[in-house]
Amino acid sequence: MTKVLHLSVHRTGGATAAALNLHNALEAQGVESRMLFVDELLEHLDVTGLNRAFSEHFANAHRTEVSNTFFTLHPFDDFPIEHESVAWADIIHLHWVTGLVGPRSLRRLSALGKPIFWTLHDVRPLTGGCHFPAGCRQFSDACEDCIQVTDESKSVVQKLHADSLAGFDRSGVLFIAPSRWMKTMAQTSSVTRGAQVEHVPYGLDTQRFAPGDTAAAKAGLGLDSSKKYLLLGANDRLEKRK
């Protein structure tokens, strides 16, 4: 029986919700599956706290007005591959692992010879720091003149992008793009260009989420039955792009 290990940094957030949906679906199909939350694993080192403080300082001091979406320059890249869940797994599935699985950790995981899947919940694995490119396409080359940071920080972004580019073994990683747009981004980035990228939409529990009685639902919510409604959600409504 194939055993799948899912890695994500936090217990909350959209990426983790998608990872948990997949984990639960695999278990329902009889596949052995585990979730490992990296921030809890390394809590004794306070690595996530240091990462967060570093990123918040950077965001406050070095960002331009182009975007206020999450931007990370995490200095840590020390996922403990000796963890027993890594030894247990046949397949390692990376989700949102920014700051804890970078080029160095990825090389060490690849050396284990196990298939690695990486679902791209945003574009951070493809860039030198941004989680959303704000129209920029410099990640297709070298991120050498980042539009989201001030001049004194551009070289840092370029260096992080170069580290990913130099230390990346494309042969052992299958990238999963939840949207066609994300697949195009992965095929465009110099970090992942030439790697295998597959478009696999997020899944839903169709037993829980299924068409029902629309009129009854509107009545139950006190909505006008003659109108159409669109429900939108966002993690942070203060983000400019949202």
Side-chain angles (χ1 to χ4, degrees), residues 84-169:
E84 66 90 13
S85 288
V86 176
W88 166 86
D90 297 312
I91 294 173
I92 298 171
H93 193 148
L94 306 177
H95 290 273
W96 205 93
V97 291
T98 297
L100 294 173
V101 176
R104 184 168 63 249
S105 295
L106 193 57
R107 284 195 297 271
R108 295 173 67 211
L109 286 171
S110 296
L112 298 175
K114 301 182 180 187
I116 298 175
F117 296 168
W118 196 342
T119 294
L120 300 172
H121 299 284
D122 59 28
V123 302
R124 180 59 184 88
L126 316 177
T127 75
C130 72
H131 289 247
F132 180 72
C136 177
R137 290 294 181 270
Q138 293 190 68
F139 60 85
S140 65
D141 184 20
C143 284
E144 62 184 358
D145 188 24
C146 179
I147 64 174
Q148 297 194 41
V149 301
T150 51
D151 288 344
E152 65 271 21
S153 300
K154 293 181 186 294
S155 61
V156 178
V157 176
Q158 185 177 4
K159 174 64 166 57
L160 289 175
H161 184 271
D163 287 347
S164 294
L165 189 60
F168 183 69
D169 178 11

